[in-house]
């Protein structure tokens, strides 16, 4: 049975007034041992910041890439001096030393006043800033092709931020496309806490490379205040994230939070958009099932948005919608359908335009 995406809520959100100064913010949340959580998304952790609907927050994130017991020594391998390593990284490493891999570093949770279970939280990506001009990619023995490598390889990549490229080698430069790999609300309180690796209806480790500056993510709310977390920032990633990680890099994100009352109860999955496209997701442990769910949700989206019959919506999904793998390596896998807004003659104003 196809469950509708309640697109009317998103359409109403699109009609909201545009921000006069996109980079402005109402609050600043730093990443410190007290404001981050490693490896999990919790419904029981006390909020580290409280805001109201409509407010914008500047949020520091710290990448787990290179966050060893001694990150200064780790980055020194690439000629990065101790004073070029974020103090946040040093402090968080010291606070959690001795444990080896401790998971993603997530800043939060942020409590959004007025958000209640059954609501929908809109997250607008206003700005993303590189905190340091380097990142880490570490392909290993897992990913989509387990056993392709016999051991994990650590590659530290330096950035040319002026030209917006990562310097992969003397012959290869990778365009930077920064985004937050994890944006999440806390899961159902009956679950309480989930690991940060697998995404879900609550968002999480979606690794959706489309969530760049100017994009919007919509998540259902399961707890009072929503309890928003973010982290696992990426400087660049290909669809699929096939080796198991991207260019992992610390970013500062400026995000605006808007609560839509009663609009999240029937959402089958998170969804997103930007000025050009809608992105309709399907999540499952099996990639074929993730594709099926993405198509079902896209058909429901087109029925709601354009009043199409099931047959016509299925037809449009086949002739005009591209389906791609957001990530195929995190236990729960994500396929997303890209629905071009230019298909629709009725133009809906979007906040970033």
């Amino acid at each position: 049975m196809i469950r509708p995406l309640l697109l009317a809520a998103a359409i109403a959100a699109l009609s909201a007034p545009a921000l006069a100064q996109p980079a402005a913010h109402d609050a600043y949340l730093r990443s410190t041992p007290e404001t981050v959580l490693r490896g999990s998304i919790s419904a029981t952790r006390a909020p580290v910041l409280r805001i109201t609907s409509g407010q914008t927050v500047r949020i520091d994130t710290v990448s787990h890439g290179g966050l060893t017991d001694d990150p200064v020594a780790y980055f020194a391998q690439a000629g990065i001096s101790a004073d070029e390593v974020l103090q946040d990284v040093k402090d968080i490493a010291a606070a959690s030393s001795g444990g080896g891999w401790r998971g993603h570093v997530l800043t939060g949770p942020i409590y959004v006043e007025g958000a209640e279970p059954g609501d929908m939280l809109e997250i607008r990506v206003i700005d993303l800033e590189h905190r340091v001009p380097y990142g880490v990619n570490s392909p290993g023995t897992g990913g989509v092709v387990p056993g392709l490598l016999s051991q994990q390889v650590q590659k530290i990549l330096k950035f040319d931020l002026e030209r917006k490229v990562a310097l992969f080698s003397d012959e290869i430069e990778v365009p930077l496309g920064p985004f937050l790999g994890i944006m999440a609300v806390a899961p159902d309180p009956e679950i309480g806490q989930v690991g940060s690796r697998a995404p879900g209806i609550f968002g999480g480790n979606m690794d959706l490379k489309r969530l760049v500056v100017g994009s919007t993510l919509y998540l259902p709310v399961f707890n009072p205040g929503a309890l928003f977390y973010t982290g696992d920032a990426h400087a660049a990633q290909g669809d699929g994230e096939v080796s198991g990680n991207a260019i992992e890099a610390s970013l500062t994100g400026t995000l605006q939070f808007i609560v839509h009352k009663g609009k999240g109860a029937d959402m089958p999955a998170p969804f997103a958009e930007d000025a050009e496209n809608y992105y309709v997701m399907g999540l499952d442990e099996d990639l074929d099932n993730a594709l099926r769910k993405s198509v079902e949700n896209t058909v429901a989206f087109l029925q709601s948005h354009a009043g199409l019959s099931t047959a016509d919506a299925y037809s449009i999904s086949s002739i005009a919608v591209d389906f791609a793998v957001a990530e195929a390596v995190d236990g729960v896998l994500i396929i997303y359908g890209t629905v071009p807004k230019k298909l629709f003659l009725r133009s809906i104003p979007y906040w970033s335009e």
Side-chain angles (χ1 to χ4, degrees):
M1 178 178 179
I2 297 173
R3 300 169 64 190
L5 284 175
L6 295 181
L7 185 66
I11 294 173
L14 298 182
S15 302
L19 297 177
Q21 295 181 336
H25 54 275
D26 300 293
Y28 182 18
L29 180 58
R30 299 181 184 276
S31 51
T32 69
E34 295 73 34
T35 64
V36 303
L37 182 64
R38 294 205 66 175
S40 63
I41 300 166
S42 174
T44 59
R45 178 174 163 86
V48 296
L49 178 68
R50 288 177 176 263
I51 63 169
T52 59
S53 178
Q55 287 192 312
T56 299
V57 186
R58 190 168 184 260
I59 308 169
D60 285 343
T61 70
V62 164
S63 175
H64 59 273
L67 209 162
T68 63
D69 286 351
D70 189 351
V72 171
Y74 178 91
F75 287 111
Q77 301 174 79
I80 296 168
S81 65
D83 60 3
E84 293 176 294
V85 178
L86 289 170
Q87 187 61 46
D88 299 10
V89 169
K90 300 172 190 175
D91 293 343
I92 293 168
S96 57
S97 65
W101 162 249
R102 296 283 300 277
H104 301 104
V105 183
L106 303 182
T107 308
I110 297 173
Y111 189 105
V112 185
E113 299 286 353
E116 297 290 342
D119 294 344
M120 180 175 71
L121 184 65
E122 173 184 354
I123 304 106
R124 297 180 177 184
V125 183
I126 306 300
D127 196 18
L128 293 166
E129 309 162 47
H130 291 277
R131 301 188 68 191
V132 288
Y134 55 83
V136 175
N137 179 252
S138 50
T141 58
V144 170
V145 191
L148 184 64
L149 299 178
S150 60
Q151 61 184 5
Q152 192 169 49
V153 177
Q154 300 291 337
K155 191 174 184 66
I156 301 170
L157 300 167
K158 296 184 179 180
F159 305 156
D160 183 330
L161 294 179
E162 185 175 343
R163 295 193 298 118
K164 299 181 180 179
V165 294
L167 307 175
F168 188 85
S169 71
D170 291 341
E171 300 295 329
I172 298 176
E173 295 181 344
V174 178
L176 297 177
F179 70 99
L180 296 166
I182 293 179
M183 288 192 279
V185 295
D188 190 310
E190 291 188 5
I191 300 173
Q193 180 171 293
V194 295
S196 65
R197 179 172 177 242
I201 181 66
F202 52 86
N205 192 25
M206 296 176 292
D207 292 323
L208 180 61
K209 63 178 285 187
R210 302 290 188 167
L211 293 174
V212 295
V213 172
S215 65
T216 306
L217 175 66
Y218 301 92
L219 298 173
V221 173
F222 300 99
N223 296 271
L227 302 177
F228 177 85
Y229 295 82
T230 190
D232 187 32
H234 296 165
Q237 181 202 292
D239 273 331
E241 198 190 24
V242 295
S243 78
N245 52 81
I247 301 181
E248 313 291 334
S250 299
L251 300 177
T252 294
T254 301
L255 308 177
Q256 185 183 24
F257 300 89
I258 301 170
V259 175
H260 298 276
K261 302 300 296 180
K263 303 301 183 183
D266 293 324
M267 289 176 64
F271 70 104
E273 67 173 313
D274 55 30
E276 297 182 350
N277 304 298
Y278 298 106
Y279 303 105
V280 187
M281 287 178 255
L283 292 76
D284 197 271
E285 294 179 357
D286 180 90
L287 204 57
D288 288 340
N289 287 335
L291 174 59
R292 176 182 57 79
K293 291 178 179 180
S294 180
V295 173
E296 288 178 346
N297 292 340
T298 300
V299 168
F301 175 93
L302 291 167
Q303 288 177 298
S304 173
H305 183 67
L308 298 180
S309 66
T310 302
D312 281 350
Y314 200 15
S315 179
I316 289 294
S317 296
S318 187
I319 66 177
V321 178
D322 291 323
F323 291 90
V325 183
E327 60 86 7
V329 292
D330 290 323
V332 174
L333 316 178
I334 299 180
I335 299 284
Y336 68 97
T338 300
V339 181
K341 291 184 176 180
K342 65 183 179 182
L343 291 174
F344 310 106
L345 298 182
R346 179 173 58 115
S347 177
I348 301 173
Y350 184 65
W351 66 266
S352 71
E353 293 177 312

